[in-house]
Amino acid sequence: MAIELSLEIISLLFAVAILAGFIDAIAGGGGLLTIPALMWAGLPPTVALGTNKLQACGGSFFASVYFVRKGRVVLAEMKLAILCAFIGAALGTIAVQLINIIYLEMILPFLMLAIGGYFLFSKKISENDRHQLLTPAVFALTAALGVGLYDGFFGPGTGSFFALAFVSLSGYGLAKATAHAKVLNFSTNIASLIFFALGGKVFWMLGGIMLVGQALGATLGSRLVVNKGTKMIKPLVVCMSVLMSVKLLSSQYLLF
């Protein structure tokens, strides 16, 4: 891939990846930083998206490993959900080439505001688990598959959607929901990366460097999730939901 970047730009993108990994591990939305940064560096949009998936795999992988090691996630209980999220993302990556997503682009900013409002005002969100509405199998076949499909053909706010699903449908406390959301997000990232790679849309050298930065930021962010819990997660989820909504609205309606 004939793209040349200076050492200064690569160093800046590495720093952006660290910050994005930190934010992503706690609240999601790290792509708000990395995708514009990659496009600013001169990467074509599709290559920016593919390279972003590569570096995002680093953050979601290391955050997932940390949560598993700390006992916040039991992988044996998530096999079906992981598989469904993967399949959904693979189908979504294929579908994006066939489906007009203009209507989703129109409603997504308001969905992100709704997520922020839910996390801000809901009295149900705490560290404690509540009564689950869906069994793990039904959750996998509906929420995990559906959010995975969304991530494959669009993507912004996937971590927030997974966390919201775990809180509202599985009855998880916020810290537990965030940990499980990161595992499913890693599955969707891998699925999308495979299809971007097959299309030659990944800048491997740059993505690999940023992957290391993502891993560093995600490790720190996941530590804060374990140690600080809801006090750290809730305000960041609200802030990132609002920022994602503003970013999407500004891009769509050219507000500024």
Side-chain angles (χ1 to χ4, degrees):
M1 188 172 296
I3 300 176
E4 296 184 3
L5 301 175
S6 68
L7 181 60
E8 290 79 8
I9 291 178
I10 293 174
S11 299
L12 178 59
L13 291 173
F14 178 75
V16 170
I18 294 176
L19 180 58
F22 175 79
I23 293 173
D24 231 7
I26 300 173
L32 280 178
L33 301 176
T34 52
I35 293 175
L38 286 165
M39 294 184 68
W40 167 82
L43 274 66
T46 53
V47 176
L49 291 173
T51 304
N52 180 68
K53 282 298 181 183
L54 171 59
Q55 61 93 36
C57 283
S60 55
F61 173 76
F62 281 92
S64 298
V65 168
Y66 185 84
F67 290 134
V68 171
R69 286 178 51 207
K70 291 297 180 180
R72 295 302 179 102
V73 175
V74 179
L75 289 178
E77 299 174 354
M78 293 192 67
K79 290 180 180 178
L80 183 58
I82 291 171
L83 176 62
C84 288
F86 184 95
I87 292 172
L91 292 174
T93 306
I94 296 171
V96 72
Q97 305 173 55
L98 307 172
I99 297 174
N100 188 338
I101 61 173
I102 185 171
Y103 298 110
L104 180 60
E105 291 176 333
M106 291 172 62
I107 66 173
L108 187 62
F110 304 102
L111 290 177
M112 295 310 305
L113 284 176
I115 289 177
Y118 180 86
F119 279 98
L120 179 61
F121 297 111
S122 178
K123 296 180 179 180
K124 298 179 181 180
I125 296 177
S126 67
E127 294 287 0
N128 302 316
D129 291 354
R130 300 181 295 108
H131 176 69
Q132 66 178 29
L133 298 179
L134 301 181
T135 65
V138 175
F139 179 91
L141 293 169
T142 55
L145 182 66
V147 177
L149 183 69
Y150 162 77
D151 191 27
F153 73 80
F154 203 68
T158 296
S160 298
F161 282 121
F162 273 134
L164 176 64
F166 277 118
V167 168
S168 59
L169 301 177
S170 295
Y172 287 2
L174 188 51
K176 184 177 179 180
T178 300
H180 284 71
K182 190 51 59 180
V183 173
L184 293 189
N185 206 175
F186 173 64
S187 180
T188 60
N189 282 339
I190 285 291
S192 293
L193 174 62
I194 289 172
F195 282 90
F196 276 122
L198 290 174
K201 303 299 184 181
V202 180
F203 189 176
W204 292 99
M205 183 274 290
L206 177 60
I209 292 173
M210 294 181 70
L211 184 151
V212 175
Q214 271 269 351
L216 293 173
T219 300
L220 178 57
S222 55
R223 288 176 184 270
L224 289 178
V225 169
V226 171
N227 295 328
K228 300 295 184 180
T230 302
K231 292 181 180 179
M232 172 64 69
I233 303 170
K234 194 171 181 177
L236 267 178
V237 170
V238 173
C239 288
M240 292 308 298
S241 296
V242 172
L243 287 174
M244 278 188 274
S245 180
V246 170
K247 173 67 169 61
L248 292 166
L249 284 170
S250 65
S251 298
Q252 184 177 156
Y253 297 109
L254 299 177
L255 296 178
F256 53 82

